[in-house]
């Protein structure tokens, strides 16, 4: 009876997870869901890009029979009519956009870093933290610094420079939040000129969509690491034997 109950709970958990993933995915692929409010056909639309980004996703309704709040502007980059919890009715939309863009950028860097750790390690790093990566690498750097190892203060340097960057960019965010002309996420940083001319709208949309994907991806990478102790490439290389672990007792799956 106990085995049957455990199997039943496991099946229920899998069903809930699948439904949850499907609901989350609808935010990024609204075209896959028919909208009763949109009857005109759309041809040649790529990445929700209307008129090269001039209209972005205007007219898209991610959840059928559930229109988004009127407080959610339909002309912002990455708009897909998705705000089921009504955050745009509770918070300033510019602040929400700033937070999403910033977290998306950080997540893209984090995803690239997590993958890079599986592919390459700088000479000498193994003498400080061994083969540790992701969360364990952070913990070992901090522990080494507390133990007086000067090489381990690299993590403190990262925290210092990130904090300094936050302070230096605050005036720009302050301008946006006080009705200035600055757009959320705009720090006048485009050394390669990728957004010059009529390319800006498309690049804005690409950034927000890749940022959203990266936020979900990093969550999965950290989750897999906590369960198995593997980085993303290690984990993918081990499929279908995904329950294998770096070391016994590393995570919940490691008891198998």
């Amino acid at each position: 009876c106990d085995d049957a109950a455990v199997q039943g709970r496991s099946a229920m958990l899998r069903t809930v997870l699948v439904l949850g993933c499907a609901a989350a995915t609808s935010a990024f692929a609204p075209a896959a869901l028919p909208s009763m409010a949109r009857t005109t056909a759309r041809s040649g639309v790529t990445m929700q890009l209307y008129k090269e980004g001039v209209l972005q996703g205007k007219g898209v309704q991610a959840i059928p029979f559930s229109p988004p709040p009127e407080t959610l502007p339909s002309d912002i980059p990455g708009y897909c009519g998705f705000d089921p919890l009504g955050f745009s009715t509770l918070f300033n939309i510019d602040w929400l956009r700033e937070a999403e863009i910033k977290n998306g950028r950080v997540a893209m860097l984090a995803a690239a870093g997590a993958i890079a750790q599986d592919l390459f390690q700088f000479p000498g790093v193994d003498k400080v933290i061994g083969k540790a990566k992701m969360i364990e690498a952070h913990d070992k750097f901090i522990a080494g610094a507390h133990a007086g190892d000067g090489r381990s203060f690299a993590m403190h340097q990262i925290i210092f420079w990130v904090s300094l960057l936050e302070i230096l960019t605050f005036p720009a965010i302050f301008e946006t939040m006080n009705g200035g002309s600055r757009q959320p996420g705009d720090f006048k940083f485009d050394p390669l000129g990728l957004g010059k001319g009529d390319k800006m709208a498309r690049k804005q949309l690409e950034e927000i969509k890749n940022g959203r994907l990266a936020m979900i991806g990093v969550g999965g990478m950290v989750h897999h690491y906590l369960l198995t102790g593997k980085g993303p490439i290690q984990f993918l290389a081990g499929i279908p034997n995904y329950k294998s672990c770096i070391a016994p007792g590393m995570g919940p799956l490691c008891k198998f």
Side-chain angles (χ1 to χ4, degrees), residues 121-206:
Q121 189 176 59
F122 285 102
V125 173
D126 57 329
K127 297 179 180 179
V128 182
I129 61 172
K131 297 295 183 181
K133 60 185 64 176
M134 299 185 73
I135 298 173
E136 187 183 3
H138 167 273
D139 294 343
K140 287 198 172 184
F141 272 123
I142 297 300
H146 288 173
D149 185 354
R151 299 172 300 177
S152 296
F153 280 91
M155 183 60 63
H156 292 73
Q157 293 183 42
I158 294 175
I159 295 174
F160 169 78
W161 289 112
V162 169
S163 300
L164 180 61
L165 186 61
E166 284 289 316
I167 295 173
L168 294 177
T169 57
F170 178 77
I173 300 174
F174 183 82
E175 177 189 349
T176 299
M177 297 303 298
N178 284 272
S181 60
R182 172 186 175 270
Q183 292 295 310
D186 182 14
F187 293 102
K188 305 301 180 185
F189 182 78
D190 187 12
L192 300 180
L194 298 177
K196 287 184 177 181
D198 58 355
K199 300 178 181 178
M200 179 58 73
R202 176 173 289 277
K203 294 302 179 183
Q204 286 178 321
L205 183 59
E206 291 174 353

Side-chain angles (χ1 to χ4, degrees), residues 36-54:
M36 299 299 292
R38 187 174 70 257
T39 57
T40 57
R42 295 187 290 112
S43 60
V45 176
T46 303
M47 290 182 62
Q48 296 172 214
L49 199 60
Y50 289 62
K51 296 183 179 180
E52 288 303 307
V54 176

Side-chain angles (χ1 to χ4, degrees), residues 1 11 14 16 22 29 41 44 62 65 73 85 109 126-127 169 179 190 200 211 215 217 224 243 255:
C1 293
R14 286 194 296 270
V16 171
F65 314 110
L85 299 181
L109 290 172
D126 57 329
K127 297 179 180 179
T169 57
D190 187 12
M200 179 58 73
M215 285 187 279
H224 293 153
K243 292 183 179 180
K255 63 184 179 181

